[in-house]
């Protein structure tokens, strides 16, 4: 489940970057921020102390 959330967050972040570069920068910033927030809230950060 975490891997799916991580991949979706990565895709959403890339979409946000595309909006920031080629479209509305405010929308791109919002998408990137929300995708990072959701990924971090669901514990998708790298933790070298966590095994498994």
């Amino acid at each position: 489940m975490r891997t799916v959330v991580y991949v979706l967050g990565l895709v959403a972040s890339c979409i946000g970057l595309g909006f920031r570069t080629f479209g509305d920068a405010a929308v791109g910033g919002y998408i990137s921020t929300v995708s990072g927030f959701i990924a971090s809230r669901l514990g998708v950060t790298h933790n070298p102390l966590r095994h498994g």
Side-chain angles (χ1 to χ4, degrees):
M1 180 64 181
R2 286 187 315 193
T3 302
V4 172
V5 172
Y6 177 72
V7 170
L8 290 176
L10 179 63
V11 170
S13 182
C14 290
I15 291 171
L17 178 62
F19 268 99
R20 286 181 65 93
T21 304
F22 301 111
D24 188 359
V27 172
Y30 179 77
I31 293 171
S32 296
T33 301
V34 169
S35 66
F37 180 74
I38 290 171
S40 69
R41 288 285 114 200
L42 293 175
V44 186
T45 58
H46 173 68
N47 185 352
L49 299 176
R50 181 175 27 186
H51 298 290

